[in-house]
């Protein structure tokens, strides 16, 4: 992970007005390898993590979006002012697979819907609904947003049967070719 990418992500997060402090570190997660993890110290008790996720997704290219944003009370540093990664909580990276960015506008929209519903900073085309902690209510929310977005009706069970953006994209292609 390039140092400039970490600095760029830190600058974007540092510009967010509701944060008092931020740290961006790399974390090794198998089988993905190195991923960025952001640690954020909010400056108010009514901090909106979802708003921060939306901001980060809007400001950074998909490959630079941290795999997780962890809210902490403070960022411990060593004598040189460097964040002490061992003193920070481990990020929740369950379900993380190598990030594959969306190729089409529909995949971009589906990735956004998955990320927002599942409260993730980003979602790649191959990220699995179940591995990301998706439950029945989440599948209903995804179906209720995907249908109107693309003019097709899909059910919660279809989300279960097509649990990645790539699979759901293929399903939507089939549905649109058969008249939905």
């Amino acid at each position: 992970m390039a140092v400039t990418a970490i600095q760029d992500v830190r600058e974007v997060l540092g510009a967010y007005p509701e944060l008092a402090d931020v740290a961006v570190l790399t974390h090794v997660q198998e089988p993905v390898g190195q991923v960025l993890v952001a640690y954020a110290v909010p400056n108010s008790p009514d901090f909106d993590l979802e708003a921060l996720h939306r901001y980060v997704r809007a400001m950074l290219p998909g490959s630079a979006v941290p795999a997780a944003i962890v809210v902490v009370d403070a960022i411990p540093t060593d004598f040189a002012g460097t964040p002490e990664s061992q003193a920070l909580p481990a990020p929740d990276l369950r379900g993380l697979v190598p990030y594959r960015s969306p190729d089409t506008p529909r995949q971009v929209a589906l990735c956004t819907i998955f990320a927002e519903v599942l409260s993730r900073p980003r979602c790649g085309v191959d990220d699995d609904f179940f591995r990301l902690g998706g439950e029945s209510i989440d599948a209903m929310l995804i179906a209720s947003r995907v249908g109107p977005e693309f003019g097709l009706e899909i059910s919660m069970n279809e989300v279960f049967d097509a649990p990645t953006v790539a699979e759901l994209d293929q399903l939507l292609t089939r549905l649109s070719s058969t008249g939905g």
Side-chain angles (χ1 to χ4, degrees), residues 13-82:
L13 287 166
Y16 194 70
E18 292 184 37
L19 295 180
D21 197 8
V22 296
V24 179
L25 305 169
T26 57
H27 183 81
V28 177
Q29 176 72 18
E30 293 303 327
V32 180
Q34 275 193 342
V35 295
L36 290 179
V37 175
Y39 291 89
V41 179
N43 61 15
S44 71
D46 56 339
F47 172 70
D48 184 352
L49 182 58
E50 290 311 308
L52 177 59
H53 285 300
R54 286 190 298 275
Y55 167 78
V56 168
R57 283 193 303 269
M59 297 299 292
L60 295 169
S63 59
V65 172
I69 299 175
V70 181
V71 176
V72 293
D73 293 331
I75 297 177
T77 57
D78 62 17
F79 65 92
T82 304

Side-chain angles (χ1 to χ4, degrees), residues 11-170:
E11 284 179 23
V12 166
L13 287 166
Y16 194 70
E18 292 184 37
L19 295 180
D21 197 8
V22 296
V24 179
L25 305 169
T26 57
H27 183 81
V28 177
Q29 176 72 18
E30 293 303 327
V32 180
Q34 275 193 342
V35 295
L36 290 179
V37 175
Y39 291 89
V41 179
N43 61 15
S44 71
D46 56 339
F47 172 70
D48 184 352
L49 182 58
E50 290 311 308
L52 177 59
H53 285 300
R54 286 190 298 275
Y55 167 78
V56 168
R57 283 193 303 269
M59 297 299 292
L60 295 169
S63 59
V65 172
I69 299 175
V70 181
V71 176
V72 293
D73 293 331
I75 297 177
T77 57
D78 62 17
F79 65 92
T82 304
E84 290 187 11
S85 58
Q86 312 87 303
L88 290 163
D92 177 6
L93 298 174
R94 290 174 297 184
L96 195 62
V97 295
Y99 179 77
R100 184 165 66 104
S101 61
D103 294 324
T104 66
R106 181 164 67 192
Q107 287 180 350
V108 170
L110 290 171
C111 285
T112 299
I113 291 169
F114 268 56
E116 288 175 356
V117 170
L118 297 171
S119 300
R120 297 290 174 161
R122 72 173 184 190
C123 181
V125 175
D126 299 316
D127 288 328
D128 186 278
F129 170 82
F130 297 108
R131 289 195 185 124
L132 293 172
E135 298 177 356
S136 297
I137 187 72
D138 301 316
M140 288 190 304
L141 289 170
I142 288 171
S144 72
R145 290 182 59 186
V146 167
E149 177 83 17
F150 302 107
L152 298 166
E153 280 197 38
I154 68 165
S155 69
M156 170 181 79
N157 289 333
E158 287 170 311
V159 173
F160 287 157
D161 293 339
T164 68
V165 165
E167 292 170 306
L168 193 54
D169 185 39
Q170 291 172 353

